[in-house]
Amino acid sequence: MEEILNEYYENNARKLHQMVDKILGRFGGLSDKDRDDFYSLANEVFADVVKRYDYSQPFASFLYSCLSNRIKTEMTGRNREKRRADRICVSIDAPAGEEEDVTIGDLIASSFSVEREVFEGREEGYSRRMATYLGRLSNLQREVLMLHSDGYLPGEIRKMLQITEKQYADCRSAIHSYRNTSILF
């Protein structure tokens, strides 16, 4: 058994790490921290395999199958956690309560409002940043923004511009997207 330990742990556990890297190669998209986590997991599996090894098959095969199964189980668990977090996410553009004209984003308290920035800029002319922001928007998006800043409700805006709920939602998303609003900060 000491020969096996020396074989897998010489040169900073190079052989064990190579085996883990081969298994992880099928997954991709892993950071160095993830690799370190799986190397630590491999040490645990190795200790368990050494205890359970019965010499009925080559050690390398037994270790590889145990490592592969444990890594797959760990990956499944990590992916499950990611999906669980995604399920509790709610879009900021989702309707709030029974009123379809009010979204969750409309109810979130904030000191910044794109609409207020546009409205306040009308009197004295727009700053360079605001002009750049408005230049990033389509004509329809600018119309939606102006009507919203004038106090019209979403249903009224859709009716005035004769657009669908999806078109309105797409305009609102563009108006509030980080890509467009980042110039204002």
Side-chain angles (χ1 to χ4, degrees):
M1 198 49 64
E2 192 171 321
E3 292 173 20
I4 292 174
L5 280 169
N6 289 336
E7 179 183 350
Y8 281 91
Y9 279 94
E10 72 182 359
N11 293 330
N12 231 3
R14 188 170 140 232
K15 188 168 182 175
L16 184 61
H17 287 187
Q18 286 174 335
M19 192 176 278
V20 170
D21 289 340
K22 184 177 179 182
I23 296 167
L24 292 177
R26 291 182 278 179
F27 296 101
L30 296 171
S31 68
D32 287 339
K33 182 194 173 298
D34 290 328
R35 286 196 185 288
D36 287 343
D37 290 347
F38 285 107
Y39 292 153
S40 295
L41 181 69
N43 288 325
E44 293 173 22
V45 171
F46 186 88
D48 183 55
V49 166
V50 166
K51 290 178 195 171
R52 295 182 338 179
Y53 183 58
D54 63 3
Y55 297 93
S56 64
Q57 61 182 320
F59 182 81
S61 299
F62 184 55
L63 176 60
Y64 185 87
S65 66
C66 290
L67 270 175
S68 182
N69 289 336
R70 186 64 175 96
I71 288 172
K72 287 177 190 175
T73 301
E74 179 68 19
M75 286 296 218
T76 301
R78 287 179 179 208
N79 289 333
R80 184 176 295 123
E81 285 300 314
K82 289 178 192 173
R83 286 190 305 274
R84 185 176 295 138
D86 287 345
R87 282 191 301 235
I88 61 171
C89 293
V90 177
S91 171
I92 198 164
D93 294 321
E98 306 213 354
E99 259 186 75
E100 292 181 17
D101 289 346
V102 179
T103 65
I104 292 173
D106 294 334
L107 300 177
I108 296 175
S110 171
S111 63
F112 179 79
S113 165
V114 172
E115 291 84 358
R116 188 172 56 245
E117 291 290 319
V118 170
F119 183 71
E120 290 173 358
R122 286 185 189 172
E123 291 95 32
E124 68 270 353
Y126 296 119
S127 69
R128 185 176 52 78
R129 286 181 175 180
M130 182 55 72
T132 303
Y133 165 74
L134 291 171
R136 291 179 176 183
L137 301 179
S138 70
N139 290 336
L140 180 59
Q141 292 164 352
R142 279 194 299 272
E143 286 183 64
V144 168
L145 177 60
M146 293 303 175
L147 290 171
H148 200 276
S149 69
D150 286 338
Y152 288 98
L153 294 173
E156 296 170 324
I157 295 171
R158 288 193 308 266
K159 189 174 181 180
M160 290 171 69
L161 298 176
Q162 298 178 348
I163 58 175
T164 65
E165 285 184 40
K166 178 160 179 18
Q167 288 172 309
Y168 176 79
D170 290 345
C171 288
R172 293 285 293 167
S173 292
I175 289 166
H176 293 283
S177 75
Y178 179 76
R179 185 185 152 282
N180 288 333
T181 59
S182 61
I183 190 74
L184 299 173
F185 303 116

